Amino acid sequence: MADLDQQQLHRAMTAWRRDLHAHPEFGFEEKSTAAFVAEKLRAFGLEVAEGIGGTGVVGTLARGSGNRAIALRADMDALRIAEQGTRAWTSQTPGIMHACGHDGHTAMLLGAAKLLAEEGGFDGTVRFIFQPAEEWGRGALAMIEDGLIERFPFEEIFGLHNMPGLPIGHFETRSGPIMSAEDNFEIVLKGLGGHAARPHDARETLIAACALVVNLQTIVSRRLSPVDIGVVSVTELITDGTRNALPGLARILGDCRSFRPEVSAAIEKEMRGIAEGTAQAYNVAAEVTYTREFVPLINDAALVNEALAAARTVLAGDAVGIAAEPMTASEDFARFLTEVPGCFVFLGNGNSATLHNPAYDFNDEGLLHGARFHAAVVRRRLAAG
C-alpha cells in the first residue's frame, strides 16, 4: 500500500474503533456491534453470515482458484466495568466498557478485511470470524456448536490480543501452552448462626471459612508438583452474618488456573478433600461446586513459526520475539484450537492502563500493525502463484 492509503486505512480504523468503544455491549448482547461489523464487511464486498452462535458474524473472502481456507478471529464483547475517563469516545453505556481492547481487535480485523478485499495477493478463502462473549468463555463454543466449521470450513485459525506494557509495533507469541485454563469454584459452608455474645450456642461458619481460605493455599504449595503451573485464588467470602450475629452460612468463591487437564483434576480433588476436612474440624457442612470455564490455549508449533515469519514482513525484525513464559490469564480462542490447529499472538498496546482496568483504552497507534499482520498471515498461508 502507498503511504497515503495506509494513512486513510488507519484513520478509518480509528473512527471504527472509537465508535465501537463508545457503544460497548456485553457478551451475547452485541447486536449493534454485530450489525456494524456486518455492514462494513458487505461494503468491502465480502459474503456475510450473521447470528452465528447468537450474535457472531462470519465474513468470507475468496480469491483465485485455491481450495485452502484459513480463519482470522476477533472478539467483540465488552465488560461490566464503569469507565473512568473523559475521552470523546468514552462509553455511553453505563456500567459497561471495552476494558480489554475488543473494540481494537474488531477494528483491526475489519481493517484486514478491507485491505485484502481491495488488494488481494492471496489464493484461497479467508474466514473473518467476529466472536461474541469471549469474556464469558462461551462465545467460541456457541459458534462451534452452531456449525461454524461445517458451514464455513477452514483448516487453521489465527488470533491476536493487545498487550499493555509491550511497545507499539512489537509482537510476541510462543509454541505450545501460552494461556491457561480457568476453573471456577464455590464452596458453601452450612452451620448454625447465633448471637455474637454466645458463640458456644452456635456452629458459626466464618471461622471455618477463614481457615478454609488459608488451607486452600496449600494445594499449590504442597499438593502439586513444583514443575506444574497452578494458581488457586479465593476472590470472594460472603456470609449471612451481621454486626452482632454469627453467620450460619458462608460462601467462598474463586478461580483456578492450570495448563494441563491432570493438574485441573488434581486441584479439584484436593479442594474437595480440604473443604470436607476443614468443615468437619469446625462441625459444619461443606458443598463444593467446581466448573471448567476455559480450556488451555495451546499454539501449534509450525503455525507459530509461520506467524513469526509473517510478522517480520510488516514489523521491525527486532520487534518480533518469543514470549518468555506462558500467561496464567485465559482466552476463549482456545476452544477453536480444539477443532483445528492455530496460533494466538500478542501485539503491543504501549504504556496503557492494564486490561480490565476502568482507565484502560486501546491504543489506536497499534491498529495498522494488527491489520497488516492479519493480511501478512493470509498472504503467507495462502500464497498466490
Side-chain angles (χ1 to χ4, degrees):
M1 294 180 70
D3 288 343
L4 179 60
D5 291 335
Q6 291 191 28
Q7 292 171 7
Q8 290 174 343
L9 180 59
H10 187 242
R11 284 196 294 269
M13 286 192 291
T14 299
W16 301 338
R17 203 284 297 181
R18 293 180 180 183
D19 191 330
L20 292 167
H21 189 93
H23 303 95
E25 295 174 297
F26 195 62
F28 291 127
E29 299 173 2
E30 310 96 335
K31 293 181 180 179
S32 294
T33 304
F36 180 98
V37 166
E39 178 186 5
K40 297 299 180 187
L41 294 176
R42 289 193 177 98
F44 305 155
L46 276 68
E47 296 179 14
V48 179
E50 300 178 71
I52 312 301
T55 47
V57 179
V58 178
T60 297
L61 180 64
R63 290 288 186 271
S65 58
N67 59 8
R68 294 190 67 245
I70 70 170
L72 306 173
R73 172 273 202 174
D75 36 19
M76 302 187 294
D77 58 320
L79 286 154
R80 294 197 189 281
I81 295 176
E83 185 162 10
Q84 295 177 358
T86 58
R87 293 175 286 265
W89 54 90
T90 295
S91 172
Q92 297 178 21
T93 306
I96 299 179
M97 70 168 288
H98 275 294
C100 202
H102 296 186
D103 50 342
H105 304 164
T106 297
M108 286 189 285
L109 192 54
L110 284 173
K114 180 175 175 62
L115 191 159
L116 289 166
E118 292 184 358
E119 293 189 351
F122 65 97
D123 184 18
T125 299
V126 188
R127 313 290 190 187
F128 297 86
I129 298 172
F130 294 84
Q131 179 204 313
E134 187 281 325
E135 297 290 356
W136 282 27
R138 294 289 185 270
L141 186 60
M143 295 189 82
I144 292 167
E145 290 180 342
D146 199 16
L148 172 70
I149 298 175
E150 294 77 19
R151 296 163 63 185
F152 313 96
F154 54 88
E155 300 167 25
E156 57 196 49
I157 187 168
F158 295 82
L160 63 79
H161 204 293
N162 76 95
M163 183 56 61
L166 189 66
I168 293 293
H170 283 239
F171 171 104
E172 288 186 350
T173 189
R174 61 180 285 123
S175 298
I178 187 170
M179 299 187 75
S180 71
E182 180 188 2
D183 305 338
N184 290 169
F185 66 86
E186 179 179 3
I187 304 172
V188 178
L189 299 178
K190 296 180 179 180
L192 178 65
H195 200 293
R198 298 183 61 81
H200 57 288
D201 290 336
R203 290 184 292 110
E204 59 97 358
T205 55
L206 186 54
I207 294 296
C210 292
L212 181 51
V213 169
V214 173
N215 291 341
L216 290 175
Q217 306 312 305
T218 66
I219 295 175
V220 173
S221 65
R222 291 295 181 266
R223 309 298 179 93
L224 297 184
S225 168
V227 302
D228 282 319
I229 297 174
V231 179
V232 176
S233 295
V234 174
T235 57
E236 295 180 86
L237 173 54
I238 305 164
T239 78
D240 64 349
T242 188
R243 184 181 62 83
N244 60 353
L246 299 171
L249 181 75
R251 297 171 58 225
I252 300 169
L253 298 93
D255 78 8
C256 308
R257 311 287 172 139
S258 61
F259 288 91
R260 297 194 300 118
E262 298 87 344
V263 175
S264 172
I267 290 173
E268 179 183 4
K269 178 183 176 182
E270 295 297 336
M271 181 175 292
R272 291 184 181 278
I274 290 171
E276 181 179 344
T278 303
Q280 185 175 7
Y282 288 88
N283 195 26
V284 297
E287 297 176 358
V288 179
T289 301
Y290 196 96
T291 61
R292 290 173 173 82
E293 307 298 323
F294 290 80
V295 299
L297 199 163
I298 313 296
N299 273 342
D300 180 86
L303 295 185
V304 164
N305 290 334
E306 291 293 295
L308 289 167
R312 292 187 183 105
T313 67
V314 294
L315 300 171
D318 60 357
V320 178
I322 305 296
E325 58 187 18
M327 294 177 59
T328 51
S330 303
E331 166 60 61
D332 199 26
F333 182 84
R335 291 285 181 186
F336 295 118
L337 301 189
T338 66
E339 305 292 327
V340 298
C343 177
F344 195 71
V345 309
F346 299 113
L347 196 64
N349 201 55
N351 189 29
S352 71
T354 61
L355 301 175
H356 294 211
N357 183 291
Y360 169 88
D361 190 33
F362 184 89
N363 191 328
D364 293 324
E365 293 303 310
L367 287 169
L368 194 59
H369 295 303
R372 295 179 68 214
F373 166 72
H374 281 312
V377 167
V378 170
R379 289 167 174 162
R380 183 174 180 86
R381 299 302 296 156
L382 301 176

